[in-house]
Structure formats: C-alpha cells, structure tokens
Amino acid sequence: MASKDSIAALSSGRLPAGIAVIRVSGPMTRFVVETIAGPVKDRFTNLRALRAAEGSTIDHGLVLFFPGPGSFTGEDVAEFQVHGSRAVAAKMLETITSFEGVRHAEPGEFTRRAFLNGRLDLVETEALADLVNAETEAQRRFAVHNAEGAQSELYSSWRRRLIHARAMIEAEIDFADEEDVPGSVSEAVWSDVSAMIGEIERHIEGFKAAEIIRDGFEVVILGAPNAGKSSLFNALARREAAIVTDEPGTTRDLLEVVMDLKGLKVRLVDTAGLRDAAGKVESIGIERARAKAEVTDLVLLLEDMADPVSVGGVPSGVPLLRIGTKSDIADAGAGSYDLVISSKDGSGLDRLLTEIGDRATAAVGGAGDVLPSRLRHVELLREATDFLRAALSGQGQELRAEELRLAAERLGRIVGAVDVEDLLDVIFSQFCIGK
C-alpha cells in the first residue's frame, strides 16, 4: 500500500532524556532527510549537522535512512537521534512537519502501515503492542515469542490444512472420474479435521495462562475486620497503600497493588472486613469483596491469632491459603493455618511471597507453549471449531466443504489474512504515538 503522505513523531520516551528519537515514514522521507541533514548513506549511521528551513543549526545528531520496502513500515523510513531536550525535539518536529505532505503521526500509525504493507500480520502486531507494554519478564518472553511469528504460524498452518482439505473434498466432488484424483479422500480429510478440533480445543485451554501472563495473577485478601488485611497489604506493597486503624470497617472499597514475583505480574487486592453488622456503605464493600473472591486466582483468608473470628461466605472452589496473623503477639500454635505471619516484624512474609510466586508459576504452566493471547482469538477459534463439527456431522459434500471454508475464514481473520477492517482502529489505538 503506497501512502500519499508522510508521517513523523517522537518515538522515544518522555523528555527530557539523554536522546530523543524522531521517526519519519512515507514518500517524502528521503527529501526530508537530505534537506535537513544532506546526503546520507542508506542503512548506515550518519553523524550530521541538522538544519532548520532558514539554515540555522538545530542540533548535531545521528541520522539513519532505511529505503522501502526493507524497513519497519515497508516505506522509506528515517530516524533522527538528537539530544533529548524538549526544545530540540520540538524544533525538529516543527521543521519536519513544515514540509508539504508531511504531518504528525496518529497513535499506532507506523505499526498500522507495517501491517498494511505486509511487514507484520495482525497477531504479530498485537504481540508488538504487548511487548511495548510489557512490565515483567514473563510478559516480555510471551510477547517476543508471538512477535517472532510462533502464534501466527500455528493459526496459518491450521488454515492451510483446512484449505487443502476443502480442495480435496471439492476435487472428489467435481472430478471423481478422473484418474489423478484419489478414489476416496474423505476418510483422510475428516480424520484430519477431527484431529484439528482437538488441537484447537487444547490450544484454547491455554488462554487462562495467557491471561495471567498479560493481566496478572490475582490474589484477594479476605478476613474479619482487624484481621490484619490492610497491614499485610501495606507490608507486601512496601508503602502505606491502605489506611490501617483499630476501627472496624476502615477499608470500604477494593484496593489493588501490582507486584513482580518470579518474573510474573501479581495483583494483590485488599478488601473490606467480612462481618454481618455493617452499615450501608460498608455492606457494599463487603459484597464487592465476596464477588471479587469468587473469580480470583487465589484467596488469602486471614485470621487474627490473638482474637480469632471466623467468617462465613468464603467462596468454595477457589484456591485458598489460611493465614494466621499477628504472630508477634499471639500463640502461633493456636488454630490450623497454612502459614503464620506478622506484618509488624515481617516474620513469615518471605514464605508467603514464595508461596504466591509458586502458585502463579504453576497457574501459568507451559508458558513457553504457543498460547492464544487475545479474547478475540479465542472467540474466532471457537467459531472455527463449531464449523468444523458441523462439517463432520453434515450431510452432502458440498455443504460440508462450505463449513470448512467458513472455519478457514475464521482462522484467517485472526492473522488478518481476510477482511478485518473493522478491527484495525481498535487494535492500533493501543499503541502510543511514534510506534
């Protein structure tokens, strides 16, 4: 796709900084570079004086020029690496966009051009967004794995198998009397389709692990008022994130902090104390706490060992750790607990963090495997399996071949091989300007 205009943006981080990187893409790129910096050698780092329209020097910096189609966007692309002051970056952008046909880029527009020019498919584009937003080592590894094409290759391989299966079925229909067409390919085709349904379903099962990598392993702290929930929350957050008092009902809403444990994102949620005699506002907080606990990855049920109060309504079926608190002032032998801690002197906290990290790692499981990284992938994969089941149980080869076509079309929509125009604005809005 040939763009009519060129785009420019600051592609590096927040200013001021040591270096500012300004990126340009489009048909005017070479003219912009040669006007501001003079002739440069393609694909080499060139040190140049960078000049404004009236001839004054803006800065001395590095210039790189990548001719299309062998560039990130598939168009002519240039990068100016200048000193990272706001004034220098602003003057460079002002000078670049003063050229006719050059404008400021929209969010994600560089990556969108890369997709439209065939440099990336849609799954690789989404993986690039994940890589830009990665906060933990597990998120980085997961994003890089997908950005390198592992996920795209899996979906494309399934699509190729379906296209081949459909071709064989249609060949049997149209050319059954021809010698070069096998007498019956149905058995082999439908056996492969059946196997593919199992492969796709096993792949879909990995979405939970992918969600944990991307969104975090959620841990909800429950307990009676004054059981030490907010004290533990603050101790693990290593800051005063929650108000701690002796008055019951201090915490009214859900509070959340994010931790990095063993390279995984962990979201710790503090909740209102569970009790029956509560005011209207506090009751809302208690209901929110119970609702959150029903859908979380792990519940920490805290009990004050110095003054134990049992609570009801703890959700069943959710992984749970019973934690005895205030071990600095209580008998640790009283009660039956999985762990005993003191938020005041820190005893037991390292063991608790290790246990949470181990459970998060176990929940991710085979994170090195190819996993569906978006809900839209899962939805399209489920639609594809529905069509494949219809093809297996259908009557008439023509109708069954059509079901195969619809399944292959759903797989094509995942990687962007078929019409996905309605998705593009949503996907590329995730990117920052300059990417």
Side-chain angles (χ1 to χ4, degrees):
M1 184 201 77
S3 302
K4 294 181 179 179
D5 53 2
S6 298
I7 54 175
L10 174 69
S11 293
S12 53
R14 188 174 181 179
L15 301 177
I19 294 175
V21 178
I22 297 169
R23 181 183 288 175
V24 187
S25 180
M28 288 290 293
T29 302
R30 185 180 289 276
F31 180 75
V32 168
V33 168
E34 293 184 347
T35 303
I36 293 176
V40 296
K41 189 174 183 180
D42 296 356
R43 303 185 182 281
F44 277 79
T45 303
N46 304 267
L47 177 62
R48 294 287 188 273
L50 308 176
R51 303 191 183 281
E54 77 282 0
S56 64
T57 300
I58 301 172
D59 194 8
H60 290 80
L62 301 179
V63 184
L64 296 93
F65 180 79
F66 305 92
S71 68
F72 172 69
T73 64
E75 307 171 330
D76 286 352
V77 173
E79 287 188 359
F80 296 93
Q81 299 182 12
V82 296
H83 291 96
S85 75
R86 293 187 178 92
V88 170
K91 185 62 177 178
M92 282 294 300
L93 284 169
E94 176 190 327
T95 301
I96 292 168
T97 56
S98 68
F99 290 90
E100 186 176 354
V102 184
R103 60 174 175 80
H104 291 281
E106 299 294 330
E109 192 167 4
F110 286 93
T111 308
R112 184 169 188 152
R113 291 189 178 199
F115 167 72
L116 294 174
N117 289 321
R119 301 294 293 175
L120 300 170
D121 66 30
L122 213 51
V123 172
E124 291 168 338
T125 295
E126 291 168 324
L128 190 57
D130 288 342
L131 185 59
V132 170
N133 295 316
E135 298 174 305
T136 67
E137 176 62 15
Q139 289 174 337
R140 183 198 65 78
R141 289 197 306 267
F142 183 55
V144 167
H145 193 49
N146 290 335
E148 289 178 339
Q151 195 178 359
S152 297
E153 176 53 33
L154 178 63
Y155 300 151
S156 295
S157 68
W158 284 333
R159 184 167 178 259
R160 288 193 297 269
R161 284 163 65 183
L162 288 181
I163 291 172
H164 178 264
R166 181 185 169 205
M168 291 296 98
I169 294 297
E170 292 183 347
E172 187 177 70
I173 294 170
D174 296 336
F175 306 106
D177 296 333
E178 299 292 332
E179 293 182 359
D180 57 348
V181 177
S184 176
V185 297
S186 293
E187 183 176 348
V189 165
W190 300 121
S191 176
D192 188 51
V193 168
S194 180
M196 196 181 307
I197 291 173
E199 292 171 23
I200 295 175
E201 287 179 336
R202 287 190 293 274
H203 178 68
I204 290 173
E205 290 173 0
F207 182 57
K208 178 59 179 177
E211 278 190 308
I212 290 174
I213 293 172
R214 294 185 67 246
D215 301 328
F217 183 81
E218 187 177 70
V219 180
V220 170
I221 305 174
L222 288 185
N226 294 328
K229 298 184 302 301
S230 294
S231 295
L232 174 61
F233 183 74
N234 288 338
L236 296 182
R238 297 183 180 179
R239 60 186 176 88
E240 295 298 316
I243 299 173
V244 179
T245 73
D246 293 331
E247 181 182 344
T250 302
T251 302
R252 301 293 181 90
D253 208 346
L254 304 178
L255 302 176
E256 181 178 303
V257 294
V258 175
M259 303 184 294
D260 185 338
L261 295 181
K262 297 187 175 182
L264 290 168
K265 181 178 180 179
V266 174
R267 293 184 290 114
L268 186 68
V269 182
D270 189 18
T271 64
L274 305 182
R275 61 173 179 162
D276 295 327
K280 184 176 180 180
V281 175
E282 188 182 348
S283 295
I284 294 173
I286 291 172
E287 288 306 310
R288 288 181 178 177
R290 295 188 191 279
K292 174 63 78 171
E294 289 176 356
V295 295
T296 195
D297 299 307
L298 176 65
V299 170
L300 304 182
L301 183 60
L302 271 57
E303 187 174 276
D304 179 356
M305 294 188 297
D307 183 20
V309 176
S310 61
V311 295
V314 178
S316 58
V318 177
L320 183 143
L321 282 174
R322 295 192 72 243
I323 310 293
T325 64
K326 306 182 183 180
S327 63
D328 54 305
I329 59 172
D331 180 6
S336 176
Y337 305 106
D338 297 308
L339 290 170
V340 172
I341 66 167
S342 169
S343 299
K344 185 174 182 179
D345 64 20
S347 61
L349 295 186
D350 286 343
R351 285 188 60 199
L352 175 58
L353 287 172
T354 299
E355 181 66 24
I356 294 172
D358 289 344
R359 291 189 178 229
T361 301
V364 169
D369 298 334
V370 179
L371 306 174
S373 57
R374 289 289 193 285
L375 180 59
R376 79 170 188 92
H377 302 169
V378 172
E379 291 172 344
L380 289 167
L381 288 167
R382 285 174 176 155
E383 290 179 21
T385 57
D386 289 343
F387 286 123
L388 293 180
R389 288 193 184 90
L392 283 178
S393 61
Q395 299 296 320
Q397 296 289 62
E398 293 89 347
L399 294 177
R400 299 175 80 185
E402 175 62 11
E403 299 289 358
L404 294 180
R405 185 192 70 79
L406 292 172
E409 187 268 345
R410 293 307 188 273
L411 294 174
R413 284 182 65 84
I414 298 178
V415 297
V418 295
D419 179 42
V420 290
E421 186 63 32
D422 56 326
L423 289 171
L424 298 188
D425 289 341
V426 174
I427 290 173
F428 290 107
S429 67
Q430 302 173 71
F431 287 86
C432 59
I433 294 174
K435 189 59 184 170

